[in-house]
Amino acid sequence: MTEHGQHPPSVLTFRSAHDFDTTISRLKAVLQRAGAVVFADVDQREAAMLAGLTLRRTRLLMFGNPKAGTPVMAANPHAALELPLRLVVWEDDEGHAQVDYRDVTQTLGPLYAIAPDLLVPLQRVTGLLQAAVQ
């Protein structure tokens, strides 16, 4: 696979076994079943085209579950910068759908001093996303 750039260790990338559109649908369904709300679905390729630019297929989903995120934000209001959660689905040069997710549980504890027990519900997200792309 072609290398597409550097990213921090908290960013996890999953190659989907499905096409781009199916990957988006599966992610949304898995998140909904887990009690999450998809707050936004941003077509970044479309935005680029409106600006006269080109971009590979790229969609940003903002999602979360207030039952999981609210206690984190109550513990430290600055942590709201990390919530809602975000993932990006993008198409690589070979036409495979890739899913990038920044695991905020790796940063909320050390950078925002969020207690480990408050991070437990957020730790489920990685597994949910992996299941959606298999």
Side-chain angles (χ1 to χ4, degrees), residues 4-80:
H4 286 95
Q6 182 176 322
H7 57 73
S10 61
V11 173
L12 309 174
T13 300
F14 309 111
R15 180 176 168 178
S16 180
H18 309 281
D19 65 51
F20 189 89
D21 294 324
T22 302
T23 298
I24 297 283
S25 295
R26 289 177 61 92
L27 287 165
K28 286 181 174 182
V30 162
L31 292 169
Q32 183 179 33
R33 282 194 304 273
V37 176
V38 175
F39 298 112
D41 178 350
V42 180
D43 187 334
Q44 293 174 311
R45 180 184 194 187
E46 181 179 305
M49 290 178 7
L50 291 172
L53 303 169
T54 59
L55 180 66
R56 70 182 78 245
R57 292 183 78 183
T58 306
R59 298 249 303 265
L60 168 74
L61 300 182
M62 296 176 66
F63 64 96
N65 182 328
K67 290 181 181 179
T70 302
V72 171
M73 293 182 285
N76 183 338
H78 302 291

